[in-house]
Amino acid sequence: MTTLNEISSALQQGRVPKVKEFVQKALDEGIPAGEILEQGLLSGMNIIGEKFKNNEVFVPEVLIAARAMSKGTDILRPYLVAAGVEEKGTVVIGTVKGDLHDIGKNLVRMMMEGKGLKVIDLGVDVPVENFLNAARENDAQIIACSALLTTTMGEMRNIVEAVEASEMKDKVKVMIGGAPITQAYCDQIGADCYTPDAATAADAALALCTG
Ligand code: B1M
């Protein structure tokens, strides 16, 4: 097995120490950081994402793999910056105001990171203005909002309206998701994109960022 395959395989199993060891080994072998990211870490994460979409693996496996991805990326980050590997876009993500559910949101964040996107995570219970300020400060292309409660999903309309009323209206897209959210609701409030799960959200975000 090549070192890149070893990274992919260890990531799919969520084996953090092995992922770190193989990423360092690949660097020592002189493999460029961008290649390690794409063909090692992202390749493993994409396999997990597909399996998750097809109900072949479930939330715990995805969270463990995502944590391994994040630890591997930590080692690569300085090399990627030095090598000038561009992030593919910037997303500001959070769970809307009044809502403390973050398991789904965290999965979406990790899947997006797995696609090479930079993700600014504002956490839970995020007021509208924090989404906008973070998008402005980080020059983001996407505001991604998660809501799990029927009592909080209305916040998404406020976010869409606030973006529409701002100078970012032609630049920032609003993505929404969470258990009570539907395509009909997305259409109703004029959000740019609804996706039902984390893997699809990451695909859609990448498509929005790379045009
Ligand atoms: Co809460 N809770 N909860 N809860 N909770 C639900 C959502 C509920 C459906 C349970 C029920 O009654 N059957 C219900 C909502 C009812 C409704 O509004 N219709 C509910 C309630 C009522 C409450 C409280 C009000 C309970 C109370 O205090 N009386 C309270 C509210 C607190 C608050 O937020 N203000 C509350 C609290 C909690 C806990 C804190 C205990 C805990 C959250 C812990 C945490 O998140 N750190 C919790 C949990 C765990 C749940 C359930 C059991 C599981 C949610 C979850 O994490 N699912 C949930 C019941 C259920 O869904 N079966 C429930 C797994 C997760 C991976 O799925 O988040 O849907 P999900 O994410 C999916 C997709 O939706 C999508 O991708 C993910 C995976 O692919 N997705 C996106 C999510 N965000 C996306 C964004 C995107 C795209 C896709 O684009 C931007």
Side-chain angles (χ1 to χ4, degrees):
M1 215 195 282
T2 66
T3 308
L4 293 176
N5 287 339
E6 284 178 319
I7 293 171
S8 169
S9 167
L11 182 136
Q12 291 170 54
Q13 296 164 49
R15 300 172 71 188
V16 172
K18 283 285 168 204
V19 168
K20 287 163 81 172
E21 179 190 326
F22 292 137
V23 167
Q24 190 56 56
K25 185 176 160 212
L27 285 169
D28 294 343
E29 285 171 5
I31 302 175
E35 212 169 295
I36 300 172
L37 178 69
E38 294 284 343
Q39 291 171 37
L41 296 169
L42 291 184
S43 144
M45 201 62 202
N46 281 338
I47 294 171
I48 283 287
E50 283 305 310
K51 287 187 173 170
F52 185 53
K53 218 181 325 190
N54 298 329
N55 290 323
E56 291 166 39
V57 298
F58 300 96
V59 173
E61 288 97 324
V62 179
L63 286 173
I64 293 166
R67 194 185 44 163
M69 164 92 206
S70 149
K71 296 293 176 194
T73 316
D74 284 348
I75 299 177
L76 286 183
R77 204 176 297 277
Y79 295 88
L80 292 171
V81 172
V85 173
E86 279 181 37
E87 266 145 352
K88 291 171 182 160
T90 302
V91 181
V92 166
I93 195 168
T95 303
V96 299
K97 187 164 178 221
D99 200 322
L100 303 176
H101 296 85
D102 70 355
I103 298 172
K105 183 265 297 170
N106 291 344
L107 281 174
V108 174
R109 181 194 76 209
M110 290 163 181
M111 290 291 177
M112 287 180 174
E113 286 176 342
K115 290 280 172 193
L117 296 163
K118 177 178 173 188
V119 184
I120 316 288
D121 188 349
L122 303 180
V124 297
D125 193 19
V126 181
V128 173
E129 55 275 19
N130 290 19
F131 279 108
L132 269 82
N133 289 340
R136 193 175 284 118
E137 282 159 17
N138 294 284
D139 209 15
Q141 289 93 344
I142 295 173
I143 290 177
C145 331
S146 180
L148 264 283
L149 299 171
T150 46
T151 48
T152 59
M153 58 194 270
E155 275 294 304
M156 291 172 162
R157 183 193 289 276
N158 298 338
I159 293 164
V160 169
E161 288 177 358
V163 170
E164 271 303 302
S166 79
E167 81 289 358
M168 295 181 286
K169 68 174 175 170
D170 295 325
K171 194 189 152 217
V172 173
K173 306 279 185 211
V174 179
M175 289 182 64
I176 62 172
I181 311 301
T182 59
Q183 183 61 51
Y185 183 67
C186 178
D187 296 341
Q188 191 188 323
I189 67 170
D192 295 291
C193 177
Y194 158 74
T195 53
D197 58 61
T200 324
D203 287 341
L206 184 63
L208 285 174
C209 285
T210 53

